[in-house]
Amino acid sequence: MKKIKISQKQYEDLLQDQNSQDLNSQSTDGSESQEKEDLKEQIEQINDEYENTTTRTYGDVVVPQTQEKVYEMPSIEETTQKATEEIEPLYDAKKESIETQGEIKTQALEQEKDEFIKAVEDSLKTLNSSYDKAKDSASNEALKRGLARSSIILNQLDSLEKGRVTATGEVLSERDKKIASIMDEVEKLKLEIENDVNVLTEEKVKKINERVNELVEKYQKEQDDVFEYNNKVRKEKAETLAKLKEAGIDATEENSKEYIKMIADKTKAFYSYYYSLGKNAKSELEKDREFVEEQIGARGYQSLMRYFN
């Protein structure tokens, strides 16, 4: 609050309507009394009322108290962060969807490979069992006919074993081809996922840059609007003050009706409070000098002091 200027005449006029009270409001425990707290709250309310008044009146001229706007354009770092926070979650969700779908497909291929390997193992067991039975049957038949060591049975058994090896080789070859095909699909799928993620990342960066440009343009317009508004406020205020000066009116804030009323209201509040303290008024006023001068100025304080002297 600015230092206060008030004439002796103004002060004496303010005291004419005060009623007498005979209360001693000092607290016995050293803390501020309820009356002192009420006083400070009343002073604060008067100050708030004054600060919230949207006009200053000089004579018959009412001057709007239009405040200039304050605008600080966000930095490019802050703008980029904001754009990223807006755009990134959407693309993170898309990326997660791509990776999840890829993982599902990869798991399906891995399962297909495992099932195929199991099927091959079962097939080889069946094949070996069939050849073992065929060899046992040929050997038993040869024994019955007394041909267990004949070249005929030996050739037959050798032929069966070669057939087993050939059949096993064919099954294993088909197995390897199928597994290789499945693994090719897995690698292809990984590349597709990686490519899709890269494309998505590039799109995200592009969208963030676009949003940054949009925000910068928006902020620039807001800054220009504030600049234009403040220039208008300054111009209107300067024109009003110039007219007041031409009319011989001193348009300093202390001369406004609102300011004078604010000082009058606070002076009445102080007078009422200290008057209520009776013989302790002067000593309490001396203790509160700094606070009182802050509110109604040195001259206001001296006027109060002279009265209570």
Side-chain angles (χ1 to χ4, degrees):
M1 178 63 64
K2 298 180 179 178
K3 293 295 183 180
I4 310 303
K5 298 177 182 178
I6 184 169
S7 68
Q8 180 66 28
K9 179 65 169 59
Q10 287 175 315
Y11 176 72
E12 291 173 352
D13 291 342
L14 294 172
L15 302 183
Q16 291 178 357
D17 62 346
Q18 301 302 309
N19 295 321
S20 297
Q21 299 181 53
D22 190 18
L23 298 171
N24 190 324
S25 302
Q26 285 183 291
S27 173
T28 59
D29 63 0
S31 62
E32 288 190 347
S33 66
Q34 183 60 51
E35 289 78 5
K36 174 64 75 62
E37 292 180 359
D38 291 343
L39 170 67
K40 290 188 174 182
E41 183 177 346
Q42 184 179 3
I43 295 298
E44 188 64 30
Q45 289 174 350
I46 294 171
N47 286 334
D48 289 343
E49 180 182 355
Y50 174 73
E51 294 296 336
N52 293 328
T53 302
T54 59
T55 60
R56 296 291 181 264
T57 306
Y58 305 92
D60 296 329
V61 180
V62 178
V63 181
Q65 285 294 100
T66 308
Q67 296 296 323
E68 292 187 16
K69 295 180 180 180
V70 177
Y71 183 82
E72 183 177 351
M73 185 172 177
S75 67
I76 190 64
E77 290 79 11
E78 293 171 331
T79 305
T80 301
Q81 181 179 352
K82 177 176 175 58
T84 301
E85 289 173 352
E86 290 179 3
I87 301 298
E88 197 167 49
L90 173 62
Y91 283 88
D92 285 348
K94 290 182 178 180
K95 177 184 176 182
E96 183 178 356
S97 177
I98 290 173
E99 291 175 340
T100 299
Q101 292 299 318
E103 184 177 348
I104 292 173
K105 292 178 180 179
T106 300
Q107 289 176 351
L109 289 170
E110 291 290 347
Q111 183 176 353
E112 181 183 351
K113 182 187 72 173
D114 293 341
E115 290 175 352
F116 180 72
I117 290 174
K118 180 64 169 59
V120 168
E121 290 174 353
D122 292 341
S123 178
L124 288 175
K125 287 179 181 179
T126 300
L127 184 148
N128 285 323
S129 177
S130 297
Y131 275 98
D132 286 342
K133 288 180 180 179
K135 289 175 68 176
D136 289 342
S137 177
S139 296
N140 291 334
E141 185 64 27
L143 285 173
K144 290 179 182 180
R145 296 170 59 188
L147 301 173
R149 294 184 178 278
S150 70
S151 59
I152 296 174
I153 189 58
L154 291 175
N155 288 335
Q156 187 176 358
L157 293 174
D158 183 60
S159 177
L160 286 171
E161 189 59 34
K162 288 180 179 179
R164 183 211 299 267
V165 171
T166 299
T168 299
E170 290 176 352
V171 170
L172 293 176
S173 178
E174 287 299 318
R175 180 200 64 183
D176 293 342
K177 289 180 181 179
K178 181 65 174 179
I179 291 175
S181 175
I182 292 174
M183 294 311 297
D184 285 343
E185 288 295 318
V186 171
E187 290 301 316
K188 181 181 178 181
L189 182 59
K190 288 181 180 179
L191 290 175
E192 288 178 356
I193 294 171
E194 183 178 352
N195 182 67
D196 289 345
V197 169
N198 289 337
V199 170
L200 195 64
T201 300
E202 291 176 0
E203 184 180 341
K204 180 183 73 174
V205 172
K206 180 181 177 181
K207 289 294 183 182
I208 290 175
N209 289 335
E210 289 176 354
R211 183 56 179 155
V212 167
N213 292 334
E214 290 175 357
L215 289 172
V216 168
E217 185 177 347
K218 173 177 176 288
Y219 295 150
Q220 187 63 57
K221 184 179 184 306
E222 291 174 349
Q223 186 179 57
D224 292 343
D225 289 345
V226 169
F227 183 76
E228 182 179 350
Y229 173 83
N230 288 341
N231 279 342
K232 180 180 178 182
V233 168
R234 295 187 193 114
K235 182 180 178 181
E236 291 176 349
K237 185 175 182 180
E239 290 175 349
T240 301
L241 293 177
K243 290 179 181 179
L244 289 171
K245 186 175 182 180
E246 288 178 4
I249 298 174
D250 182 2
T252 55
E253 185 165 358
E254 289 80 1
N255 290 326
S256 70
K257 290 182 179 180
E258 291 79 9
Y259 187 88
I260 294 171
K261 179 181 182 302
M262 179 264 294
I263 294 299
D265 290 343
K266 289 198 288 187
T267 301
K268 289 178 182 178
F270 280 129
Y271 174 77
S272 179
Y273 169 73
Y274 291 109
Y275 188 86
S276 72
L277 300 181
K279 64 181 182 179
N280 295 320
K282 181 181 177 182
S283 61
E284 288 301 310
L285 182 56
E286 288 174 343
K287 292 178 184 178
D288 296 339
R289 178 172 182 169
E290 182 178 354
F291 174 65
V292 174
E293 287 188 349
E294 180 184 332
Q295 298 299 324
I296 61 174
R299 291 183 63 183
Y301 172 79
Q302 292 300 331
S303 295
L304 278 173
M305 185 59 72
R306 281 195 295 272
Y307 180 84
F308 290 110
N309 280 334

